[in-house]
Amino acid sequence: GTAGPDPTTVYVDMRALRHDRVRLVERGSPHSLPLMESGKILPGVKVIVANTETKGPLGDSHLGEIWVSSPHNATGYYTVYGEEALHTDHFNTRLCFGDTVTNWARTGYLGFLRRTELTDASGERHDALYVVGSLDETLELRGMRYHPIDIETSVIRAHKSIAECAVFTWTNLLVVVVELEGSEQEALDLVALVTNVVLEEHYLIVGVVVVVDPGVIPINSRGEKQRMHLRDGFLADQLDPIYVAYNM
């Protein structure tokens, strides 16, 4: 078959994302976050972005939960008796206005849709889906919602020796885990850099900085960071860190 268009990358304003707004900026702009298209939406598959609280459809300038409707949608999964309501809300939810007939499956991921300038094999422009992250992994701090990728991007930019980064919360504290690709003597220097960049760019105080070896942050086969697994390892004291700094 004919290959589809190459994935596109857009740059969004990280500050706008904190308010669930999508504002495109130029590459290299201050507070810019690169996001690569997650793939072409196939024929017969409908995707919308919905408000997680009101269940209303959102425009392309808003960040919301990705909902999918297709002939291949699952109807549920095995669970204990008494959770039928959760099944319905997850696999057979409907919009509160607009198209109130279609059944949608909630993905649990936040993202947005944009009409691209690229065309597919049929010559039609296609909608591109951009995923920001899991709804379960968003951080509620200082009364605002932060997205892990937002903070992690700032931290990775802070120093060339930071190979990877992941963030999560623990007892209302922000925990930043960084993989050090360099000499262990640099670990102490990274603490101040990480703390400062998060404070300057996000106005957040880092509660704990954990410096670990490369490869400690778990990533699944789809390239997604497993932040909750990392959090479990941190709480169980299983990360074998190079250095840990508590700012409590």
Side-chain angles (χ1 to χ4, degrees):
T2 305
D6 293 332
T8 59
T9 298
V10 298
Y11 296 83
V12 297
D13 190 319
M14 293 189 293
R15 297 166 299 180
L17 281 184
R18 297 170 200 162
H19 301 281
D20 294 335
R21 302 286 296 187
V22 178
R23 187 169 73 86
L24 299 186
V25 295
E26 295 294 328
R27 178 179 180 178
S29 298
H31 308 289
S32 64
L33 174 69
L35 292 174
M36 180 177 287
E37 174 188 347
S38 296
K40 177 185 174 184
I41 299 173
L42 298 175
V45 177
K46 294 194 293 185
V47 176
I48 61 167
V49 173
N51 185 296
T52 56
E53 297 178 0
T54 67
K55 294 187 177 181
L58 296 172
D60 61 7
S61 62
H62 289 78
L63 184 71
E65 185 181 16
I66 300 165
W67 291 9
V68 179
S69 177
S70 83
H72 307 292
N73 276 18
T75 57
Y77 45 72
Y78 178 78
T79 185
V80 296
Y81 175 78
E83 294 189 352
E84 288 83 357
L86 294 178
H87 272 216
T88 300
D89 184 62
H90 186 84
F91 292 100
N92 293 288
T93 195
R94 294 185 180 184
L95 292 171
C96 64
F97 62 90
D99 178 4
T100 58
V101 177
T102 302
N103 288 329
W104 303 88
R106 302 178 63 169
T107 66
Y109 282 84
L110 290 167
F112 59 93
L113 290 166
R114 303 291 295 190
R115 176 57 59 92
T116 70
E117 296 300 322
L118 296 180
T119 57
D120 56 22
S122 66
E124 297 291 331
R125 290 198 303 169
H126 72 286
D127 286 330
L129 175 66
Y130 298 89
V131 180
V132 173
S134 170
L135 185 60
D136 291 337
E137 293 182 342
T138 56
L139 311 174
E140 297 290 340
L141 296 164
R142 298 173 59 246
M144 294 180 61
R145 183 159 73 182
Y146 291 82
H147 305 285
I149 190 174
D150 183 354
I151 301 172
E152 291 162 0
T153 299
S154 296
V155 172
I156 291 174
R157 289 173 176 170
H159 197 277
K160 62 181 181 180
S161 294
I162 298 177
E164 188 54 274
C165 169
V167 301
F168 52 83
T169 54
W170 167 56
T171 62
N172 296 320
L173 295 174
L174 176 62
V175 180
V176 180
V177 180
V178 294
E179 291 183 354
L180 171 61
E181 195 171 60
S183 170
E184 292 189 2
Q185 284 71 29
E186 295 180 89
L188 187 58
D189 296 332
L190 290 185
V191 172
L193 286 172
V194 169
T195 302
N196 289 338
V197 74
V198 175
L199 181 61
E200 291 175 1
E201 296 192 11
H202 305 280
Y203 308 106
L204 292 173
I205 296 175
V206 177
V208 187
V209 178
V210 185
V211 183
V212 298
D213 291 312
V216 170
I217 295 174
I219 297 177
N220 66 17
S221 59
R222 297 186 298 275
E224 301 169 333
K225 297 178 189 178
Q226 303 296 282
R227 298 179 182 89
M228 294 302 99
H229 289 306
L230 182 66
R231 183 179 185 273
D232 292 341
F234 169 76
L235 296 178
D237 197 23
Q238 296 174 344
L239 300 186
D240 190 23
I242 299 171
Y243 188 80
V244 181
Y246 293 88
N247 182 24
M248 305 169 68

